[in-house]
Amino acid sequence: MKSLTFIKRKLREKSFKPNIFLINNHLQTIIGVTSIRSNKIIKKAIRKKFRIGDDFIEGDCYWQMNKKKFATIIIVHGIGGSSREAYILRLIKKGLDNSYNVIALNLRSCGGTEKISKRLYNAGDSKDI
């Protein structure tokens, strides 16, 4: 398993070079939020229900198909989001491309979990994670 220091070092080595048409940081934000979602990634997902005390949350799980053991990344969406947001799908793709298993969690009452959650999502409640 790769250590955290190894991952940090690798991230520092890569420099960010935006697309020639997206050198403005405001355009990068707008395109990132409005870009088309990848149905290929969504189709690979295995929706799993996780018990949290007497309640439930759900996550979209993406597993590497090789026999090797892989580290797992857990991705949590922003306020009012879900595991199907464009930026989450891009993070999932990055994780899968770098040989990680990925779990994209839907917090309580987000991403279609309203029917299984006994209470609503609260941004100040980090116990679910």
Side-chain angles (χ1 to χ4, degrees):
M1 185 181 297
K2 296 177 183 175
S3 70
L4 189 56
T5 53
F6 172 79
I7 294 169
K8 285 180 182 178
R9 188 174 63 241
K10 282 298 205 185
L11 288 174
R12 274 189 236 118
E13 289 174 4
K14 293 183 177 183
S15 62
F16 175 71
K17 293 184 181 172
N19 182 301
I20 190 74
F21 300 107
L22 298 175
I23 54 174
N24 179 304
N25 55 352
H26 299 293
L27 284 175
Q28 291 173 22
T29 300
I30 292 167
I31 294 298
V33 171
T34 60
S35 66
I36 297 170
R37 298 170 179 174
S38 174
N39 287 330
K40 289 179 185 175
I41 294 174
I42 292 172
K43 288 177 185 175
K44 287 184 181 179
I46 299 168
R47 180 65 59 111
K48 178 156 175 53
K49 194 183 292 187
F50 297 96
R51 179 181 280 285
I52 310 257
D54 64 344
D55 210 347
F56 293 95
I57 61 173
E58 285 186 339
D60 289 337
C61 302
Y62 303 84
W63 307 117
Q64 296 291 343
M65 293 300 144
N66 296 344
K67 300 287 184 194
K68 294 180 183 178
K69 290 184 179 179
F70 292 96
T72 301
I73 298 172
I74 298 175
I75 301 173
V76 182
H77 60 79
I79 295 175
S82 78
S83 62
R84 305 283 170 95
E85 299 292 332
Y87 69 97
I88 297 291
L89 294 174
R90 282 193 301 278
L91 286 172
I92 292 166
K93 183 171 179 349
K94 279 279 194 200
L96 293 173
D97 289 349
N98 286 285
S99 300
Y100 288 96
N101 294 316
V102 180
I103 300 172
L105 287 179
N106 284 305
L107 298 173
R108 297 173 196 249
S109 68
C110 296
T113 63
E114 298 85 356
K115 298 174 198 107
I116 66 167
S117 300
K118 292 183 179 178
R119 64 182 177 87
L120 296 176
Y121 162 68
N122 176 343
D125 185 5
S126 60
K127 288 183 263 181
D128 290 354
I129 309 305

